[in-house]
Amino acid sequence: MDFKYKITLFTPTYNRAYILDVLYRSVQRQTFRDFEWIIMDDGSSDNTEELVKSWINDDNDFPIRFYKTKNGGKCRAINKGLDLAEGELFFIMDSDDYLTDDSLETVVKWEATIADKTGFCGVAGNRGSSPTETPNTRLWQMYGEGCEYIDEYAYVRYPEYTDKIIDGERAGVWYTEIHRKYKYPEYDGENFLTPCIVWNRMAKDGYKIRIFDDIIWICEYREDGLTMQGNMRFIKNPQGHAVSIREKAEFLNYPLKEKMKMWYTYYCDHTFCDEKYRLTKKQCAEYIGAPIWFIYASAIAHKLSGLIKKIRK
């Protein structure tokens, strides 16, 4: 397939007009110019639309495409963005963070080092707290001095797969054609899915990522961001939560004992929570893929555990 641009920079946003300008200025400063920027407004009630349309009228040498949809969450927005993208590479950039000045140039440089692109789904750079500092472990600290990149499956983030874990958040840039084959599942009434669902599915099908150490994304966690919402993201989105951990267990060949731990934890998370989000035992079994008898046994075990604790007090 022929693409119009090397990169589609894609930003889903929701009520971020107060900070979005920081990202815009970093996009303007890019040393690489063969890209488009798609902004997907996920039903904002602030002045995001007015702000972005004013930027479209600025004298930029890159196109800005703006779309507004009914609020449906980041992953639905990404699915729409993939359909719209005209870039060979698809770079999802959060609306409350910003790019290093040479971010896109660095992405293109590392992507070009992949001689045989068969079996690769993209590249991933580092996220930093500044252009020179990152909370993540550097590759050379795990793989030795001089290590600038590794080629690995997305599973490299899990201790079940390796003792050389790629920790922290990384900035993934995907081949658009491949990512289109791995869109996020959508569940009625839910609006959050962890990105690992897509990454793990790519790895399951044999796709590796070239992970490099250069910082290309400056990340700042904000009170209104998804990361700061913690465990409630999963409680409010039980089907998405279930598919992420169920598939991880399947792809990494969890033994039965580990699966049972996973089933029990899921049951506890989703039945001992706010009544508004509480699941029935049948729903727990269906979503997590556990036998219904095990969920009933978990309920009994949890009650007995509570009684024992009371007696000991």
Side-chain angles (χ1 to χ4, degrees):
M1 178 178 177
D2 292 329
F3 288 98
K4 194 173 181 179
Y5 307 98
K6 183 64 178 179
I7 299 175
T8 291
L9 185 64
F10 178 75
T11 299
T13 185
Y14 177 70
N15 287 340
R16 287 286 174 73
Y18 74 94
I19 195 64
L20 194 56
D21 182 72
V22 176
L23 173 57
Y24 174 50
R25 299 306 168 191
S26 76
V27 174
Q28 286 184 311
R29 293 193 299 269
Q30 289 305 297
T31 54
F32 180 83
R33 313 305 290 181
D34 185 15
F35 71 93
E36 63 171 347
W37 188 21
I38 297 177
I39 300 173
M40 184 73 67
D41 184 342
D42 189 33
S44 295
S45 57
D46 62 7
N47 65 322
T48 295
E49 182 172 2
E50 179 184 356
L51 181 66
V52 175
K53 286 185 175 179
S54 72
W55 298 343
I56 292 173
N57 294 325
D58 287 347
D59 189 23
N60 292 307
D61 61 351
F62 59 88
I64 300 175
R65 298 163 61 193
F66 176 81
Y67 301 88
K68 187 163 185 173
T69 65
K70 179 181 177 182
N71 181 258
K74 181 177 178 178
C75 291
R76 282 188 177 85
I78 291 171
N79 287 346
K80 292 182 176 72
L82 285 166
D83 290 335
L84 295 165
E86 297 186 76
E88 178 188 354
L89 297 170
F90 192 73
F91 188 171
I92 304 162
M93 182 70 209
D94 288 348
S95 57
D96 55 344
D97 301 323
Y98 62 95
L99 301 165
T100 58
D101 291 357
D102 63 348
S103 175
L104 302 187
E105 181 179 351
T106 302
V107 166
V108 171
K109 177 192 78 173
W110 280 109
E111 189 272 332
T113 65
I114 304 175
D116 182 3
K117 302 187 191 322
T118 305
F120 279 86
C121 54
V123 299
N126 215 337
R127 295 197 192 193
S129 52
S130 77
T132 58
E133 299 173 304
T134 177
N136 300 334
T137 304
R138 292 287 194 171
L139 293 179
W140 61 265
Q141 293 175 291
M142 292 182 287
Y143 294 91
E145 289 289 342
C147 180
E148 294 182 293
Y149 75 92
I150 61 168
D151 295 335
E152 258 294 359
Y153 299 106
Y155 304 147
V156 77
R157 295 170 295 113
Y158 302 131
E160 300 96 321
Y161 175 77
T162 180
D163 59 354
K164 294 182 178 179
I165 302 168
I166 298 297
D167 60 354
E169 293 193 76
R170 305 285 165 155
V173 185
W174 315 103
Y175 288 114
T176 304
E177 273 193 284
I178 292 175
H179 200 331
R180 283 174 176 162
K181 300 174 185 176
Y182 296 89
K183 290 184 177 179
Y184 288 92
E186 299 181 9
Y187 301 102
D188 290 341
E190 299 190 16
N191 63 8
F192 172 78
L193 289 164
T194 173
C196 74
I197 291 174
V198 165
W199 304 343
N200 291 347
R201 288 178 177 182
M202 290 179 182
K204 166 75 163 44
D205 288 344
Y207 287 107
K208 288 185 175 181
I209 310 166
R210 177 152 294 183
I211 303 168
F212 56 89
D213 222 16
D214 299 331
I215 296 171
I216 60 173
W217 178 321
I218 311 303
C219 186
E220 297 181 7
Y221 297 116
R222 302 182 183 278
E223 290 298 324
D224 61 346
L226 287 174
T227 302
M228 296 300 286
Q229 294 178 33
N231 200 47
M232 281 306 297
R233 295 177 297 170
F234 301 107
I235 299 301
K236 293 178 180 179
N237 300 276
Q239 293 182 85
H241 182 205
V243 75
S244 67
I245 57 177
R246 190 180 71 233
E247 289 188 349
K248 178 187 172 187
E250 176 190 343
F251 298 165
L252 294 177
N253 298 310
Y254 275 25
L256 180 59
K257 183 178 178 180
E258 292 303 313
K259 284 185 179 180
M260 291 172 72
K261 287 181 182 178
M262 175 189 72
W263 295 339
Y264 180 76
T265 301
Y266 182 84
Y267 164 76
C268 291
D269 285 346
H270 289 277
T271 57
F272 300 100
C273 60
D274 189 306
E275 187 174 358
K276 179 180 179 181
Y277 306 111
R278 201 170 297 167
L279 299 182
T280 65
K281 293 180 180 64
K282 182 179 179 181
Q283 287 174 316
C284 282
E286 178 185 345
Y287 294 168
I288 199 61
I292 188 65
W293 64 261
F294 181 88
I295 299 300
Y296 277 96
S298 296
I300 295 170
H302 192 274
K303 285 182 180 180
L304 288 175
S305 176
L307 287 172
I308 292 170
K309 286 179 182 178
K310 285 182 180 180
I311 292 171
R312 286 178 177 175
K313 285 181 179 180

